[in-house]
Amino acid sequence: MWVSTKTTMPNRQLHTPLRSNQASSSSQSFISKLLLLLTLLPLSLAALAFVLQWRGGITDPTTRWVPPGSHQFPGMESSSLSPISHSSHSDCVNLGRSSSSSFPYYHHNWKFDYATLLKPKICVTTSTSAGLDQILPWMFYHKVIGVTTFFLFVEGNAASPEVSKVLESIPGVKVIYRTRELEEQQAKSRIWNETWLSSFFYKPCNYELFVKQSLNMEMAIVMARDGGMDWILHVDTDELIHPAGAREYSLRQLLLDVPGNVDMVIFPNYESSVERDDVKEPFSEVSMFKRNYDHLPKETYFGTYRESTRGNPNYFLTYGNGKSAARVQDHLRPNGAHRWHNYMKTPNEIKLEEAAVLHYTYAKFSDLTSRRDRCGCKPTKEDVKRCFMLEFDRAAFIIASTATQEEMLNWYHEHVVWGDKDIKVKLLRKGILARIYAPMAIVQGLRESGVFSSVIASAPTLSKEKFLMSIDSSNSSRAVASESLHSRKVGRTKEYQSTVRKILDIESVVSQEGAVPPLSPPGIEDDHVNLHA
C-alpha cells in the first residue's frame, strides 16, 4: 500500500501542472479569438455600410412606413443618387441643380399635393400684380408651413399668360382675373351699401387698392367656405407668416392649438430692416427685422424710439397693426385688408405673443420707383394725401417722382438701409431688432432644390386660342381698371340699392365700425399722453 501510494503521488504531481497549463492556454486562445471577432465585426459592418452608401442602395427604414402620397420631413426622401428613385432623364436634369437635400420637394412631390391630409385646412387670399420671381417663393414658403389653398386675384404682370399658366398648374391654387365680369359682379356687393368701408370709396392709389382688396376678400370667403376651409388669411406677396411659438415651425400647428372659442387671431407685424441697397430677392437675402410694439416692453420701445426711427415719420416705415387669420364661419366678412369681422356678432380675437407676419417693405431699391409708377398723383404734399394713407409712403413717392437716381439712392441709404453697425448691435441687444433665419433658409432650400424651376418647366404650354383670349381679357381689364369700381357703383339702380338696404336692416345686428386701415405704430407723443393720463 505504501509503495503504491508513493508511486501514484508523483504521477499526480507531474500531470496537474500540465492540465493547468493547457486550460490556461485554451482560455487565452478563446479570449484572443473573441477580441479578434469584436474587432472585425464593427469593421465589417462599417465596410458594408460604406459600400451600400457608395452604391446608393441604402434606404431609411422609416420611409417604408410613410403612406403613399403623404408629405415627409425634409431629408426623409430617398437619396437623389439612388437608381431606383429617378429615371435616367430626371438624373440628367438633376445634374444642373444643387445636390442639397434640405428641401428636395421638386422630386415627385414638389407640388405639395397633400391638401386632404392636413388639419386644419388653411387658405390664403391675396391681390397681386407681381411676377413669378416673387409669387413662387411666397407661395411655396406658405405651403411648407401648412397652407393648402391659395385664392390669387391677379392683374398686371401676374395676369400675363406666361405667369398665369404657371400659377394655374399648381395644385391648390385658384387664379381669379380682374375681368369686366368680375368687376360687374363686385359692383353688386353689399359692401357698397354699408358704412364700414365708405370712407375709402372714390379715392385713388392706396385707397382704391384697399377697397379692391376688401371686395376680393369677400369673394374669397365664399370660395373658402365652399372648399371646406377652416381658416382664412389675407397676406400680401411681400409678407410671410412667421409661426413662432408653435411646437413646430408650422402655421397648421399654430392654428391647431388655438382654442375653439376664438374666432380670429392677430399676427403683429415685423418690418424688414435691409442692410444693403442691392437686395434682389428679399425672402432669400434679408434676415434682420424690427419687432412690433406688441412684442416689446414699453420702456424698451419708447426708450430707443429716436434711434429706431432714424428721422423717419414713425417707428415703422409703413403699417404697424399686423394682419389676422379668421376661422371660416357663417356671416364672416372682411374689415379691410388687415382684419376680419362678422355681421352677426363681435368676434372673439386673440393676439399672438410670438408669431408674426414679416413685412418686406421697401426691401429693394426698385420698390421706390415701382410704387411711383403705379400711382398717378402729383408729387406735392397736398396731393399725395389723396393717394397714400401713411406718411412714409407719401415722402417716398415725392422723392421717387422728383429726385435724380443718385439723390434717390442717397435718400434710400439715409431712410431705409441700416448701415451703422454700432446702432444695429445696440438695437439687436435691446431686442428692437431681431435676426430671423427660418424663412430665408426655407426659401433658399426650395430654390436650390429646384422647386421653382420645376413648377415653371412643368406648366402646360398655352394654346394659341387661350393666349389670345387671355390677351383680350387682360386688355379689357386694363381699359376699365382705373374707373371700374366708380362706374359700377354709379351705374346701379336705386331699386337695387333699396333692396339691399332692406336686407341689411334685417340681417345686421352688429354696429358697423369703420374698417381697420393700415395704421402706424405708437409714436413718441403717445407715450407722453400715456404718462400724463
Side-chain angles (χ1 to χ4, degrees), residues 192-228:
W192 292 103
N193 289 81
E194 297 170 353
T195 59
W196 58 270
L197 195 63
S198 59
S199 62
F200 298 89
F201 293 162
Y202 316 123
K203 296 180 181 179
C205 297
N206 276 17
Y207 290 91
E208 182 179 4
L209 174 62
F210 195 75
V211 173
K212 192 181 298 183
Q213 288 173 325
S214 299
L215 291 167
N216 292 344
M217 290 165 68
E218 183 185 48
M219 297 188 71
I221 290 172
V222 177
M223 291 185 283
R225 189 169 55 240
D226 292 343

mmCIF file of all heavy atoms in Angstrom, residues 192-228:
data_model
loop_
_atom_site.group_PDB
_atom_site.id
_atom_site.type_symbol
_atom_site.label_atom_id
_atom_site.label_comp_id
_atom_site.label_asym_id
_atom_site.label_seq_id
_atom_site.Cartn_x
_atom_site.Cartn_y
_atom_site.Cartn_z
ATOM 1 N N TRP A 192 -70.974 98.012 -50.881
ATOM 2 C CA TRP A 192 -71.196 99.375 -51.374
ATOM 3 C C TRP A 192 -72.324 100.086 -50.639
ATOM 4 O O TRP A 192 -72.390 101.317 -50.630
ATOM 5 C CB TRP A 192 -71.496 99.341 -52.872
ATOM 6 C CG TRP A 192 -70.330 98.917 -53.712
ATOM 7 C CD1 TRP A 192 -70.136 97.707 -54.297
ATOM 8 C CD2 TRP A 192 -69.189 99.700 -54.033
ATOM 9 N NE1 TRP A 192 -68.944 97.683 -54.980
ATOM 10 C CE2 TRP A 192 -68.339 98.895 -54.832
ATOM 11 C CE3 TRP A 192 -68.782 101.000 -53.736
ATOM 12 C CZ2 TRP A 192 -67.128 99.354 -55.330
ATOM 13 C CZ3 TRP A 192 -67.563 101.456 -54.223
ATOM 14 C CH2 TRP A 192 -66.749 100.645 -55.014
ATOM 15 N N ASN A 193 -73.211 99.323 -50.038
ATOM 16 C CA ASN A 193 -74.350 99.923 -49.343
ATOM 17 C C ASN A 193 -74.150 99.996 -47.833
ATOM 18 O O ASN A 193 -75.062 100.335 -47.106
ATOM 19 C CB ASN A 193 -75.626 99.126 -49.642
ATOM 20 C CG ASN A 193 -76.088 99.325 -51.068
ATOM 21 O OD1 ASN A 193 -75.570 98.686 -51.965
ATOM 22 N ND2 ASN A 193 -77.044 100.212 -51.264
ATOM 23 N N GLU A 194 -72.942 99.662 -47.391
ATOM 24 C CA GLU A 194 -72.647 99.685 -45.969
ATOM 25 C C GLU A 194 -71.684 100.830 -45.643
ATOM 26 O O GLU A 194 -71.077 101.426 -46.547
ATOM 27 C CB GLU A 194 -72.076 98.330 -45.534
ATOM 28 C CG GLU A 194 -73.084 97.208 -45.733
ATOM 29 C CD GLU A 194 -72.478 95.824 -45.556
ATOM 30 O OE1 GLU A 194 -71.248 95.708 -45.398
ATOM 31 O OE2 GLU A 194 -73.246 94.853 -45.593
ATOM 32 N N THR A 195 -71.550 101.097 -44.380
ATOM 33 C CA THR A 195 -70.786 102.287 -43.974
ATOM 34 C C THR A 195 -69.348 101.999 -43.564
ATOM 35 O O THR A 195 -68.522 102.910 -43.563
ATOM 36 C CB THR A 195 -71.488 102.973 -42.791
ATOM 37 O OG1 THR A 195 -71.582 102.042 -41.693
ATOM 38 C CG2 THR A 195 -72.884 103.417 -43.188
ATOM 39 N N TRP A 196 -69.018 100.745 -43.230
ATOM 40 C CA TRP A 196 -67.719 100.461 -42.632
ATOM 41 C C TRP A 196 -66.547 100.710 -43.583
ATOM 42 O O TRP A 196 -65.418 100.944 -43.147
ATOM 43 C CB TRP A 196 -67.675 99.030 -42.080
ATOM 44 C CG TRP A 196 -67.953 97.942 -43.089
ATOM 45 C CD1 TRP A 196 -69.165 97.418 -43.406
ATOM 46 C CD2 TRP A 196 -66.996 97.247 -43.885
ATOM 47 N NE1 TRP A 196 -69.040 96.445 -44.366
ATOM 48 C CE2 TRP A 196 -67.713 96.306 -44.670
ATOM 49 C CE3 TRP A 196 -65.612 97.310 -44.024
ATOM 50 C CZ2 TRP A 196 -67.088 95.447 -45.570
ATOM 51 C CZ3 TRP A 196 -64.973 96.450 -44.916
ATOM 52 C CH2 TRP A 196 -65.708 95.531 -45.684
ATOM 53 N N LEU A 197 -66.786 100.672 -44.892
ATOM 54 C CA LEU A 197 -65.705 100.903 -45.858
ATOM 55 C C LEU A 197 -65.910 102.196 -46.644
ATOM 56 O O LEU A 197 -65.079 102.556 -47.486
ATOM 57 C CB LEU A 197 -65.612 99.706 -46.818
ATOM 58 C CG LEU A 197 -64.361 99.562 -47.681
ATOM 59 C CD1 LEU A 197 -63.110 99.352 -46.834
ATOM 60 C CD2 LEU A 197 -64.520 98.411 -48.674
ATOM 61 N N SER A 198 -66.973 102.909 -46.373
ATOM 62 C CA SER A 198 -67.367 104.033 -47.230
ATOM 63 C C SER A 198 -66.344 105.166 -47.264
ATOM 64 O O SER A 198 -66.237 105.888 -48.261
ATOM 65 C CB SER A 198 -68.726 104.583 -46.766
ATOM 66 O OG SER A 198 -68.655 105.006 -45.416
ATOM 67 N N SER A 199 -65.571 105.348 -46.212
ATOM 68 C CA SER A 199 -64.586 106.447 -46.202
ATOM 69 C C SER A 199 -63.435 106.213 -47.173
ATOM 70 O O SER A 199 -62.640 107.121 -47.421
ATOM 71 C CB SER A 199 -64.035 106.645 -44.786
ATOM 72 O OG SER A 199 -63.350 105.485 -44.345
ATOM 73 N N PHE A 200 -63.352 105.000 -47.738
ATOM 74 C CA PHE A 200 -62.269 104.688 -48.676
ATOM 75 C C PHE A 200 -62.736 104.726 -50.133
ATOM 76 O O PHE A 200 -61.936 104.568 -51.049
ATOM 77 C CB PHE A 200 -61.693 103.293 -48.372
ATOM 78 C CG PHE A 200 -61.086 103.182 -47.001
ATOM 79 C CD1 PHE A 200 -61.866 102.816 -45.912
ATOM 80 C CD2 PHE A 200 -59.746 103.459 -46.792
ATOM 81 C CE1 PHE A 200 -61.318 102.718 -44.640
ATOM 82 C CE2 PHE A 200 -59.187 103.362 -45.527
ATOM 83 C CZ PHE A 200 -59.965 102.995 -44.452
ATOM 84 N N PHE A 201 -64.035 104.920 -50.351
ATOM 85 C CA PHE A 201 -64.575 104.924 -51.711
ATOM 86 C C PHE A 201 -64.119 106.158 -52.492
ATOM 87 O O PHE A 201 -63.924 107.233 -51.933
ATOM 88 C CB PHE A 201 -66.114 104.902 -51.680
ATOM 89 C CG PHE A 201 -66.704 103.622 -51.136
ATOM 90 C CD1 PHE A 201 -68.027 103.597 -50.705
ATOM 91 C CD2 PHE A 201 -65.961 102.461 -51.068
ATOM 92 C CE1 PHE A 201 -68.590 102.430 -50.207
ATOM 93 C CE2 PHE A 201 -66.510 101.286 -50.571
ATOM 94 C CZ PHE A 201 -67.832 101.276 -50.133
ATOM 95 N N TYR A 202 -63.985 105.957 -53.830
ATOM 96 C CA TYR A 202 -63.771 107.045 -54.791
ATOM 97 C C TYR A 202 -62.465 107.816 -54.548
ATOM 98 O O TYR A 202 -62.397 109.018 -54.786
ATOM 99 C CB TYR A 202 -64.960 108.022 -54.773
ATOM 100 C CG TYR A 202 -66.286 107.322 -54.757
ATOM 101 C CD1 TYR A 202 -67.213 107.562 -53.745
ATOM 102 C CD2 TYR A 202 -66.621 106.403 -55.750
ATOM 103 C CE1 TYR A 202 -68.429 106.908 -53.713
ATOM 104 C CE2 TYR A 202 -67.836 105.737 -55.725
ATOM 105 C CZ TYR A 202 -68.737 105.995 -54.722
ATOM 106 O OH TYR A 202 -69.935 105.334 -54.696
ATOM 107 N N LYS A 203 -61.456 107.145 -54.057
ATOM 108 C CA LYS A 203 -60.143 107.754 -53.893
ATOM 109 C C LYS A 203 -59.121 106.926 -54.659
ATOM 110 O O LYS A 203 -59.281 105.714 -54.802
ATOM 111 C CB LYS A 203 -59.764 107.837 -52.409
ATOM 112 C CG LYS A 203 -60.667 108.741 -51.580
ATOM 113 C CD LYS A 203 -60.232 108.763 -50.116
ATOM 114 C CE LYS A 203 -61.148 109.644 -49.283
ATOM 115 N NZ LYS A 203 -60.756 109.656 -47.840
ATOM 116 N N PRO A 204 -58.036 107.551 -55.131
ATOM 117 C CA PRO A 204 -57.076 106.827 -55.970
ATOM 118 C C PRO A 204 -56.039 106.036 -55.167
ATOM 119 O O PRO A 204 -56.004 106.066 -53.939
ATOM 120 C CB PRO A 204 -56.406 107.959 -56.753
ATOM 121 C CG PRO A 204 -56.434 109.125 -55.808
ATOM 122 C CD PRO A 204 -57.729 108.989 -55.036
ATOM 123 N N CYS A 205 -55.193 105.310 -55.909
ATOM 124 C CA CYS A 205 -53.981 104.639 -55.396
ATOM 125 C C CYS A 205 -54.262 103.700 -54.230
ATOM 126 O O CYS A 205 -55.040 102.783 -54.356
ATOM 127 C CB CYS A 205 -52.925 105.679 -55.036
ATOM 128 S SG CYS A 205 -52.391 106.623 -56.469
ATOM 129 N N ASN A 206 -53.675 103.966 -53.076
ATOM 130 C CA ASN A 206 -53.783 103.045 -51.944
ATOM 131 C C ASN A 206 -55.219 102.856 -51.472
ATOM 132 O O ASN A 206 -55.599 101.780 -51.025
ATOM 133 C CB ASN A 206 -52.924 103.531 -50.778
ATOM 134 C CG ASN A 206 -51.484 103.087 -50.917
ATOM 135 O OD1 ASN A 206 -51.050 102.701 -51.998
ATOM 136 N ND2 ASN A 206 -50.731 103.139 -49.841
ATOM 137 N N TYR A 207 -56.014 103.903 -51.555
ATOM 138 C CA TYR A 207 -57.407 103.798 -51.130
ATOM 139 C C TYR A 207 -58.189 102.872 -52.066
ATOM 140 O O TYR A 207 -58.977 102.038 -51.619
ATOM 141 C CB TYR A 207 -58.057 105.181 -51.093
ATOM 142 C CG TYR A 207 -57.534 106.061 -49.994
ATOM 143 C CD1 TYR A 207 -56.451 106.920 -50.204
ATOM 144 C CD2 TYR A 207 -58.114 106.042 -48.726
ATOM 145 C CE1 TYR A 207 -55.961 107.730 -49.190
ATOM 146 C CE2 TYR A 207 -57.635 106.849 -47.695
ATOM 147 C CZ TYR A 207 -56.559 107.683 -47.939
ATOM 148 O OH TYR A 207 -56.078 108.488 -46.930
ATOM 149 N N GLU A 208 -57.970 103.024 -53.359
ATOM 150 C CA GLU A 208 -58.644 102.155 -54.328
ATOM 151 C C GLU A 208 -58.200 100.712 -54.147
ATOM 152 O O GLU A 208 -59.021 99.784 -54.220
ATOM 153 C CB GLU A 208 -58.340 102.626 -55.753
ATOM 154 C CG GLU A 208 -59.045 101.794 -56.814
ATOM 155 C CD GLU A 208 -58.746 102.303 -58.221
ATOM 156 O OE1 GLU A 208 -57.936 103.245 -58.360
ATOM 157 O OE2 GLU A 208 -59.315 101.741 -59.161
ATOM 158 N N LEU A 209 -56.893 100.510 -53.909
ATOM 159 C CA LEU A 209 -56.387 99.161 -53.671
ATOM 160 C C LEU A 209 -57.024 98.559 -52.424
ATOM 161 O O LEU A 209 -57.371 97.370 -52.398
ATOM 162 C CB LEU A 209 -54.863 99.195 -53.517
ATOM 163 C CG LEU A 209 -54.192 97.878 -53.132
ATOM 164 C CD1 LEU A 209 -54.428 96.816 -54.199
ATOM 165 C CD2 LEU A 209 -52.695 98.083 -52.897
ATOM 166 N N PHE A 210 -57.198 99.358 -51.399
ATOM 167 C CA PHE A 210 -57.785 98.890 -50.140
ATOM 168 C C PHE A 210 -59.210 98.398 -50.360
ATOM 169 O O PHE A 210 -59.614 97.360 -49.832
ATOM 170 C CB PHE A 210 -57.759 100.029 -49.112
ATOM 171 C CG PHE A 210 -57.999 99.602 -47.700
ATOM 172 C CD1 PHE A 210 -57.015 98.952 -46.976
ATOM 173 C CD2 PHE A 210 -59.210 99.873 -47.079
ATOM 174 C CE1 PHE A 210 -57.236 98.566 -45.659
ATOM 175 C CE2 PHE A 210 -59.440 99.500 -45.752
ATOM 176 C CZ PHE A 210 -58.441 98.844 -45.051
ATOM 177 N N VAL A 211 -59.991 99.136 -51.141
ATOM 178 C CA VAL A 211 -61.356 98.726 -51.457
ATOM 179 C C VAL A 211 -61.340 97.445 -52.293
ATOM 180 O O VAL A 211 -62.120 96.509 -52.054
ATOM 181 C CB VAL A 211 -62.098 99.851 -52.205
ATOM 182 C CG1 VAL A 211 -63.465 99.359 -52.699
ATOM 183 C CG2 VAL A 211 -62.263 101.069 -51.305
ATOM 184 N N LYS A 212 -60.455 97.405 -53.271
ATOM 185 C CA LYS A 212 -60.352 96.235 -54.145
ATOM 186 C C LYS A 212 -59.984 94.990 -53.326
ATOM 187 O O LYS A 212 -60.553 93.902 -53.532
ATOM 188 C CB LYS A 212 -59.294 96.507 -55.214
ATOM 189 C CG LYS A 212 -59.286 95.505 -56.354
ATOM 190 C CD LYS A 212 -58.181 95.837 -57.353
ATOM 191 C CE LYS A 212 -58.402 97.193 -57.988
ATOM 192 N NZ LYS A 212 -57.348 97.487 -59.012
ATOM 193 N N GLN A 213 -59.043 95.133 -52.402
ATOM 194 C CA GLN A 213 -58.660 94.005 -51.552
ATOM 195 C C GLN A 213 -59.840 93.522 -50.724
ATOM 196 O O GLN A 213 -60.048 92.314 -50.568
ATOM 197 C CB GLN A 213 -57.500 94.410 -50.631
ATOM 198 C CG GLN A 213 -56.168 94.578 -51.344
ATOM 199 C CD GLN A 213 -55.097 95.144 -50.412
ATOM 200 O OE1 GLN A 213 -55.380 95.956 -49.538
ATOM 201 N NE2 GLN A 213 -53.858 94.716 -50.594
ATOM 202 N N SER A 214 -60.615 94.446 -50.199
ATOM 203 C CA SER A 214 -61.764 94.074 -49.373
ATOM 204 C C SER A 214 -62.812 93.321 -50.186
ATOM 205 O O SER A 214 -63.390 92.325 -49.723
ATOM 206 C CB SER A 214 -62.387 95.326 -48.735
ATOM 207 O OG SER A 214 -61.450 95.992 -47.903
ATOM 208 N N LEU A 215 -63.073 93.781 -51.398
ATOM 209 C CA LEU A 215 -64.026 93.095 -52.265
ATOM 210 C C LEU A 215 -63.525 91.700 -52.637
ATOM 211 O O LEU A 215 -64.301 90.740 -52.679
ATOM 212 C CB LEU A 215 -64.263 93.923 -53.533
ATOM 213 C CG LEU A 215 -65.012 95.242 -53.341
ATOM 214 C CD1 LEU A 215 -64.909 96.101 -54.600
ATOM 215 C CD2 LEU A 215 -66.477 94.997 -52.987
ATOM 216 N N ASN A 216 -62.222 91.582 -52.895
ATOM 217 C CA ASN A 216 -61.637 90.274 -53.207
ATOM 218 C C ASN A 216 -61.712 89.341 -51.999
ATOM 219 O O ASN A 216 -61.979 88.141 -52.140
ATOM 220 C CB ASN A 216 -60.185 90.440 -53.646
ATOM 221 C CG ASN A 216 -60.048 91.142 -54.983
ATOM 222 O OD1 ASN A 216 -61.024 91.255 -55.744
ATOM 223 N ND2 ASN A 216 -58.865 91.624 -55.294
ATOM 224 N N MET A 217 -61.466 89.881 -50.815
ATOM 225 C CA MET A 217 -61.547 89.069 -49.600
ATOM 226 C C MET A 217 -62.960 88.547 -49.386
ATOM 227 O O MET A 217 -63.169 87.412 -48.943
ATOM 228 C CB MET A 217 -61.094 89.892 -48.398
ATOM 229 C CG MET A 217 -59.604 90.205 -48.384
ATOM 230 S SD MET A 217 -59.163 91.521 -47.204
ATOM 231 C CE MET A 217 -59.486 90.707 -45.627
ATOM 232 N N GLU A 218 -63.956 89.379 -49.713
ATOM 233 C CA GLU A 218 -65.344 88.955 -49.583
ATOM 234 C C GLU A 218 -65.631 87.752 -50.471
ATOM 235 O O GLU A 218 -66.284 86.782 -50.050
ATOM 236 C CB GLU A 218 -66.272 90.115 -49.943
ATOM 237 C CG GLU A 218 -67.746 89.787 -49.763
ATOM 238 C CD GLU A 218 -68.636 90.915 -50.253
ATOM 239 O OE1 GLU A 218 -68.409 91.425 -51.380
ATOM 240 O OE2 GLU A 218 -69.572 91.282 -49.522
ATOM 241 N N MET A 219 -65.130 87.776 -51.688
ATOM 242 C CA MET A 219 -65.326 86.645 -52.601
ATOM 243 C C MET A 219 -64.546 85.429 -52.130
ATOM 244 O O MET A 219 -65.005 84.290 -52.254
ATOM 245 C CB MET A 219 -64.896 87.036 -54.012
ATOM 246 C CG MET A 219 -65.702 88.147 -54.637
ATOM 247 S SD MET A 219 -65.306 88.417 -56.385
ATOM 248 C CE MET A 219 -66.023 86.963 -57.122
ATOM 249 N N ALA A 220 -63.354 85.656 -51.573
ATOM 250 C CA ALA A 220 -62.522 84.543 -51.099
ATOM 251 C C ALA A 220 -63.202 83.807 -49.945
ATOM 252 O O ALA A 220 -63.030 82.585 -49.805
ATOM 253 C CB ALA A 220 -61.154 85.059 -50.670
ATOM 254 N N ILE A 221 -63.956 84.527 -49.118
ATOM 255 C CA ILE A 221 -64.675 83.886 -48.010
ATOM 256 C C ILE A 221 -65.658 82.850 -48.558
ATOM 257 O O ILE A 221 -65.766 81.729 -48.034
ATOM 258 C CB ILE A 221 -65.416 84.940 -47.162
ATOM 259 C CG1 ILE A 221 -64.416 85.803 -46.386
ATOM 260 C CG2 ILE A 221 -66.388 84.267 -46.198
ATOM 261 C CD1 ILE A 221 -65.048 86.997 -45.675
ATOM 262 N N VAL A 222 -66.373 83.209 -49.609
ATOM 263 C CA VAL A 222 -67.339 82.285 -50.220
ATOM 264 C C VAL A 222 -66.620 81.054 -50.764
ATOM 265 O O VAL A 222 -67.044 79.909 -50.548
ATOM 266 C CB VAL A 222 -68.126 82.990 -51.345
ATOM 267 C CG1 VAL A 222 -69.070 82.009 -52.031
ATOM 268 C CG2 VAL A 222 -68.900 84.177 -50.785
ATOM 269 N N MET A 223 -65.488 81.266 -51.455
ATOM 270 C CA MET A 223 -64.726 80.149 -52.004
ATOM 271 C C MET A 223 -64.138 79.286 -50.899
ATOM 272 O O MET A 223 -64.052 78.060 -51.025
ATOM 273 C CB MET A 223 -63.627 80.677 -52.931
ATOM 274 C CG MET A 223 -64.164 81.286 -54.215
ATOM 275 S SD MET A 223 -62.874 81.776 -55.391
ATOM 276 C CE MET A 223 -62.297 83.292 -54.630
ATOM 277 N N ALA A 224 -63.714 79.920 -49.809
ATOM 278 C CA ALA A 224 -63.158 79.171 -48.688
ATOM 279 C C ALA A 224 -64.215 78.281 -48.047
ATOM 280 O O ALA A 224 -63.958 77.117 -47.709
ATOM 281 C CB ALA A 224 -62.583 80.134 -47.652
ATOM 282 N N ARG A 225 -65.414 78.825 -47.888
ATOM 283 C CA ARG A 225 -66.499 78.044 -47.302
ATOM 284 C C ARG A 225 -66.882 76.878 -48.216
ATOM 285 O O ARG A 225 -67.086 75.752 -47.752
ATOM 286 C CB ARG A 225 -67.698 78.949 -47.028
ATOM 287 C CG ARG A 225 -68.789 78.269 -46.212
ATOM 288 C CD ARG A 225 -69.841 79.254 -45.716
ATOM 289 N NE ARG A 225 -70.431 80.029 -46.793
ATOM 290 C CZ ARG A 225 -70.378 81.360 -46.876
ATOM 291 N NH1 ARG A 225 -69.740 82.062 -45.962
ATOM 292 N NH2 ARG A 225 -70.964 81.989 -47.887
ATOM 293 N N ASP A 226 -66.957 77.140 -49.516
ATOM 294 C CA ASP A 226 -67.288 76.081 -50.471
ATOM 295 C C ASP A 226 -66.200 75.007 -50.508
ATOM 296 O O ASP A 226 -66.489 73.837 -50.779
ATOM 297 C CB ASP A 226 -67.472 76.669 -51.868
ATOM 298 C CG ASP A 226 -68.717 77.549 -51.972
ATOM 299 O OD1 ASP A 226 -69.585 77.444 -51.072
ATOM 300 O OD2 ASP A 226 -68.817 78.338 -52.932
ATOM 301 N N GLY A 227 -64.954 75.398 -50.249
ATOM 302 C CA GLY A 227 -63.843 74.450 -50.291
ATOM 303 C C GLY A 227 -63.580 73.740 -48.970
ATOM 304 O O GLY A 227 -62.621 72.975 -48.867
ATOM 305 N N GLY A 228 -64.420 73.993 -47.972
ATOM 306 C CA GLY A 228 -64.250 73.309 -46.700
ATOM 307 C C GLY A 228 -63.064 73.785 -45.894
ATOM 308 O O GLY A 228 -62.524 73.033 -45.072
#
